[in-house]
Amino acid sequence: MFKVGDKVVYPMHGAGVIEAIEDREVLGSKRKYYILRFPLGDMKVMIPLESERAVGLREVIDEKGIQEVIKILKEPKGSGSGNWNRRYRANLEKMRSGSIYQVAEVVGNLARQDHDRGLSTGERKMLESARQMLISELVLARNTERNQVENLLEKLLA
């Protein structure tokens, strides 16, 4: 169980901070909820405590994890199939996994593909979404500003 002030990742949404744990009545049912605030985008989400595992809520990575992300971004794996539809589905599964390392793979591979051959509109949107997920976690993990993380990503993906 997480506590107020913990930095956590909510897959497909990004990283945020647990602001409160509150009892709320929703649809006639009273439950405890994490109130999660996402610093990027200034959004709040309520997640039932009993659903934390099902939704894949996890802690933000540590310094060792940051170094692994940097390594992945420097040396991405192959982008897989030449078929954009298969590649899109594979990348979507990686993003849904909640793993920052798989999200970093998606960012690295799509950024390089965009540079080399360009991306379809769907893949460009996916790259932006994966990038935002990655940035949100690195901002909280490094306790830094968004522009510093964006500058780091630009250098790593150049």
Side-chain angles (χ1 to χ4, degrees):
M1 186 168 152
F2 298 105
K3 59 187 182 310
V4 173
D6 283 353
K7 297 173 182 178
V8 297
V9 176
Y10 186 23
M12 293 299 291
H13 292 82
V17 178
I18 296 177
E19 276 193 339
I21 299 173
E22 299 178 356
D23 288 318
R24 295 274 179 108
E25 187 172 328
V26 177
L27 300 172
S29 178
K30 203 168 193 173
R31 301 191 224 181
K32 282 195 176 294
Y33 287 87
Y34 291 118
I35 309 300
L36 183 61
R37 182 184 51 82
F38 296 95
L40 303 184
D42 201 34
M43 180 174 72
K44 284 188 180 183
V45 174
M46 292 183 354
I47 303 168
L49 264 66
E50 69 266 9
S51 297
E52 83 178 50
R53 275 212 169 106
V55 299
L57 206 60
R58 65 168 176 80
E59 291 182 3
V60 167
I61 58 173
D62 58 10
E63 186 58 37
K64 184 178 175 188
I66 293 170
Q67 295 309 313
E68 183 64 25
V69 166
I70 290 170
K71 180 179 165 190
I72 290 167
L73 289 171
K74 284 181 178 176
E75 303 169 12
K77 295 181 176 157
S79 59
S81 169
N83 178 321
W84 76 267
N85 195 18
R86 278 193 208 120
R87 195 172 54 238
Y88 183 88
R89 283 194 308 251
N91 284 333
L92 189 57
E93 282 306 307
K94 287 179 182 181
M95 290 173 60
R96 285 181 178 153
S97 75
S99 166
I100 189 70
Y101 309 115
Q102 290 194 3
V103 171
E105 269 184 44
V106 171
V107 170
N109 290 334
L110 288 178
R112 281 173 180 76
Q113 183 178 336
D114 189 29
H115 182 266
D116 295 345
R117 300 189 302 257
L119 296 173
S120 68
T121 303
E123 284 181 313
R124 185 164 282 111
K125 286 179 183 176
M126 176 177 278
L127 172 57
E128 187 54 32
S129 181
R131 211 171 162 276
Q132 292 309 310
M133 290 167 55
L134 187 62
I135 289 170
S136 73
E137 185 159 1
L138 291 175
V139 162
L140 288 180
R142 279 212 153 154
N143 199 24
T144 190
E145 297 296 318
R146 177 187 185 127
N147 62 347
Q148 290 179 319
V149 172
E150 287 174 340
N151 290 339
L152 173 66
L153 285 181
E154 281 181 37
K155 288 177 189 170
L156 291 171
L157 297 171

